[in-house]
Amino acid sequence: QVQLAESGGGSVQAGGSLRLSCLPRVSKFSVYNYCLAWFRQAPAKEREAVAAISTAGSRTVYVDSVQGRFTISRDNPNKVLYLQMDSLKPEDTAVYYCAADLQGPCTGAGWAEVSRYSYWGQGTQVTVSS
């Protein structure tokens, strides 16, 4: 019903930048209807939320640890979700996942819960060296 494909991961030194992309392919409704978010999972740690964005892209929310360094955005006509990551730190090293769900509100209470998202990509590795 919904397929998500991430790309853009890689290795970078601390202080560097990367831009992740996620291409949602939906067979039901339109990509405009879906809440989209980024999560990450470091080795031996639980998956955690990074950022989420509303259906129209007008509202965003971030976890405190990335606030001011990461920017989530979406290009609905071209069906792409982005995560611009600047001033990267070694603790940002993780597999980054794109997530989607029809149920809103996209940036309200509960946005960071893994269980509220029905669809997930396969992930892309980001490694930040000191």
Side-chain angles (χ1 to χ4, degrees):
Q1 191 171 10
V2 178
Q3 293 182 319
L4 304 169
E6 303 96 336
S7 62
S11 297
V12 64
Q13 289 191 328
S17 299
L18 284 173
R19 188 176 78 162
L20 305 184
S21 300
C22 172
L23 274 63
R25 293 294 177 259
V26 302
S27 59
K28 187 175 182 180
F29 303 111
S30 164
V31 68
Y32 290 84
N33 298 116
Y34 288 83
C35 295
L36 298 175
W38 287 99
F39 281 70
R40 66 186 180 186
Q41 188 166 16
K45 292 188 176 181
E46 294 189 352
R47 192 169 298 190
E48 65 170 356
V50 174
I53 189 167
S54 60
T55 53
S58 57
R59 294 185 301 278
T60 58
V61 61
Y62 300 89
V63 67
D64 287 346
S65 60
V66 308
Q67 181 76 49
R69 300 188 298 122
F70 290 11
T71 304
I72 187 172
S73 60
R74 64 192 291 170
D75 179 353
N76 280 339
N78 291 306
K79 301 178 182 179
V80 186
L81 172 72
Y82 296 107
L83 184 68
Q84 177 66 42
M85 305 186 296
D86 298 317
S87 302
L88 282 161
K89 304 176 181 180
E91 51 263 44
D92 295 318
T93 295
V95 177
Y96 284 71
Y97 297 91
C98 174
D101 201 89
L102 278 170
Q103 183 177 355
C106 304
T107 58
W111 75 270
E113 297 294 327
V114 171
S115 59
R116 65 115 45 239
Y117 296 92
S118 300
Y119 307 102
W120 294 85
Q122 294 300 306
T124 185
Q125 176 71 46
V126 171
T127 303
V128 184
S129 58
S130 57

